[in-house]
Amino acid sequence: MFILKRQDVEISSIQHPKRDQPIPILNYQGQTFRLISVFRANQEEEAKAFWRDLTDNRGKACVLLEEPERFSVWGKIRLDQLGIDGAGDARTTTLTQACILLLQAVTIDIEDILGNKQAGLFEKNLTEVFQQWRFPQTESAAAVNNLLSIDPLNTNQLPPWEEHHLITLLQELHRLGKECFGNTSFVSRAMDALEDLPPPERSQFVGWLNQTPLGKLWQ
């Protein structure tokens, strides 16, 4: 749809009806959009490619917001639809479980192949990513370490992440993994960890992943 500047829009937040967290909302000419993904200031091409893929190839109504410190992609929504469908929460739970399995698998892979020192550096960089993008329940290195040791199939332990957190996590996890290994050999090994999910949930996650440009990274 549009590429917009910060002065073109109004950004606010509303309380999630079922979770104790705010949801970022972008308003533009009477239309409302929900945050899908965030990119660093030096990722302009990636942000535009992601936005074009959603709008041109997948038919989604999206805007790309240019800010000095970042780019962000927002998808059109109706506010009265937020939180009404319980299936949406179940879907987010499945996606979160899968993303944490991938995160833990990459961490273990780095430690096994590259050693404890490299694994420690990876966790430090991961903590910085979580803090930069303000992921809930990742405020400290101890919280991140706990995240790497939880059982993601236990839904009582899952952090209250939204879909834009998960997309950002997979983008950054791929970037950090590639920096550590110097290649993308870790991807197939990490994807094997999804075998821990029941087949319907695994299929749901892979289907979601392939509906985003991230699917090309995690093949």
Side-chain angles (χ1 to χ4, degrees):
M1 285 181 65
F2 311 107
I3 299 179
L4 304 173
K5 302 288 188 181
R6 182 64 180 86
Q7 61 267 26
D8 298 330
V9 304
E10 177 186 342
I11 295 179
S12 57
S13 64
I14 62 172
Q15 191 66 26
H16 193 292
K18 296 184 180 180
R19 300 185 182 191
D20 184 22
Q21 67 183 99
I23 300 173
I25 298 294
L26 180 149
N27 295 281
Y28 176 71
Q29 294 186 350
Q31 302 176 81
T32 51
F33 299 82
R34 183 176 182 175
L35 184 61
I36 296 177
S37 186
V38 180
F39 296 82
R40 299 170 184 270
N42 62 356
Q43 291 182 301
E44 179 176 1
E45 291 307 313
E46 291 93 330
K48 288 182 176 178
F50 186 93
W51 169 70
R52 287 195 188 99
D53 186 76
L54 292 177
T55 54
D56 297 347
N57 300 333
R58 307 186 194 280
K60 295 185 180 293
C62 299
V63 299
L64 175 64
L65 183 64
E66 293 187 11
E67 299 178 80
E69 71 280 6
R70 69 176 193 173
F71 292 86
S72 52
V73 178
W74 304 70
K76 189 175 181 180
I77 58 158
R78 283 173 43 199
L79 293 182
D80 59 0
Q81 293 178 325
L82 276 177
I84 294 175
D85 183 8
D89 281 345
R91 176 176 174 272
T92 303
T93 295
T94 296
L95 300 183
T96 302
Q97 289 174 320
C99 287
I100 293 177
L101 284 172
L102 290 177
L103 171 63
Q104 292 177 343
V106 173
T107 304
I108 292 170
D109 204 27
I110 290 172
E111 186 172 5
D112 287 348
I113 297 176
L114 302 178
N116 292 334
K117 183 177 180 181
Q118 188 64 51
L121 181 61
F122 172 76
E123 285 190 36
K124 178 176 179 291
N125 292 335
L126 191 63
T127 301
E128 292 173 355
V129 165
F130 284 137
Q131 292 174 345
Q132 178 182 1
W133 301 121
R134 299 177 183 174
F135 277 61
Q137 297 183 10
T138 57
E139 294 79 7
S140 65
V144 173
N145 188 263
N146 178 66
L147 180 67
L148 295 174
S149 61
I150 65 170
D151 175 10
L153 302 187
N154 180 348
T155 56
N156 292 327
Q157 294 184 314
L158 293 179
W161 293 346
E162 293 290 320
E163 194 166 326
H164 69 90
H165 293 119
L166 303 177
I167 290 175
T168 299
L169 172 60
L170 293 181
Q171 287 173 338
E172 294 294 302
L173 181 59
H174 189 276
R175 178 181 66 83
L176 292 175
K178 189 174 180 180
E179 286 180 1
C180 287
F181 287 105
N183 55 49
T184 59
S185 61
F186 66 93
V187 169
S188 61
R189 295 191 295 268
M191 292 294 284
D192 288 343
L194 298 181
E195 294 297 322
D196 289 347
L197 286 173
E201 283 81 354
R202 185 165 67 248
S203 296
Q204 184 181 41
F205 172 74
V206 172
W208 169 81
L209 186 63
N210 289 335
Q211 284 295 309
T212 76
L214 295 172
K216 299 171 185 175
L217 298 178
W218 291 91
Q219 286 180 345

